[in-house]
Amino acid sequence: MPFVRTAVTKSTSQQQRQRIVDGIHQALVDGIGMPQDELFNLVTDYDPQQFFYSRTFNGVARSDNLIVIEITMRRGRSDAMKRDLYKGIADNLAGQAQVRPQDVFIFMHENDYSDWSVGFGKFAMALVQQPGSIVTE
């Protein structure tokens, strides 16, 4: 279950934010086989005057509309899967949300099942994963 944090400029409309979230989510579903109902994306905004970044790092021409995507997920995906995921996110955001691929900045954290509790204060691995079902205890 990836947890995503997405930072966008304050001027980003709600409709644009939804398209960005949808594009990231679909890339995770397509790229790493994440179940469709595993959507956890915390969208925050920033004031461009408070976010300082290189407009040219590694030869990439970034604009004032940089989107930062931070993905935390369980360890185990290959470099090839991650490469495809990053490309899928950039392609989806370009096609669905009119975001320049140069303005998509992604980084990832990996950890293990024991690093997650997704409800009831229990280890995530103690809860049986049942897509679409609701656990009440």
Side-chain angles (χ1 to χ4, degrees), residues 23-136:
I24 295 167
H25 185 69
Q26 194 58 52
L28 286 162
V29 170
D30 295 342
I32 65 167
M34 183 182 77
Q36 190 70 37
D37 73 339
E38 288 188 11
L39 171 61
F40 294 92
N41 189 326
L42 178 61
V43 179
T44 58
D45 54 45
Y46 66 87
D47 184 330
Q49 296 172 340
Q50 295 175 324
F51 182 30
F52 300 88
Y53 57 89
S54 172
R55 301 292 199 267
T56 60
F57 176 72
N58 263 7
V60 178
R62 294 173 189 83
S63 76
D64 292 336
N65 295 311
L66 185 68
I67 294 174
V68 179
I69 302 164
E70 177 181 3
I71 303 170
T72 302
M73 67 180 179
R74 185 177 41 81
R75 188 177 331 277
R77 276 63 175 209
S78 68
D79 286 349
M81 289 177 81
K82 292 176 193 175
R83 199 171 21 255
D84 290 345
L85 173 61
Y86 301 153
K87 182 174 182 344
I89 290 171
D91 289 350
N92 287 355
L93 296 190
Q96 298 170 22
Q98 291 70 52
V99 174
R100 297 172 59 239
Q102 302 93 313
D103 289 332
V104 178
F105 187 93
I106 306 166
F107 62 100
M108 186 176 297
H109 306 282
E110 293 182 302
N111 54 30
D112 297 308
Y113 275 120
S114 62
D115 297 313
W116 295 85
S117 175
V118 298
F120 304 107
K122 296 180 180 181
F123 272 142
M125 54 199 222
L127 297 174
V128 177
Q129 186 172 0
Q130 299 175 9
S133 67
I134 298 174
V135 179
T136 59

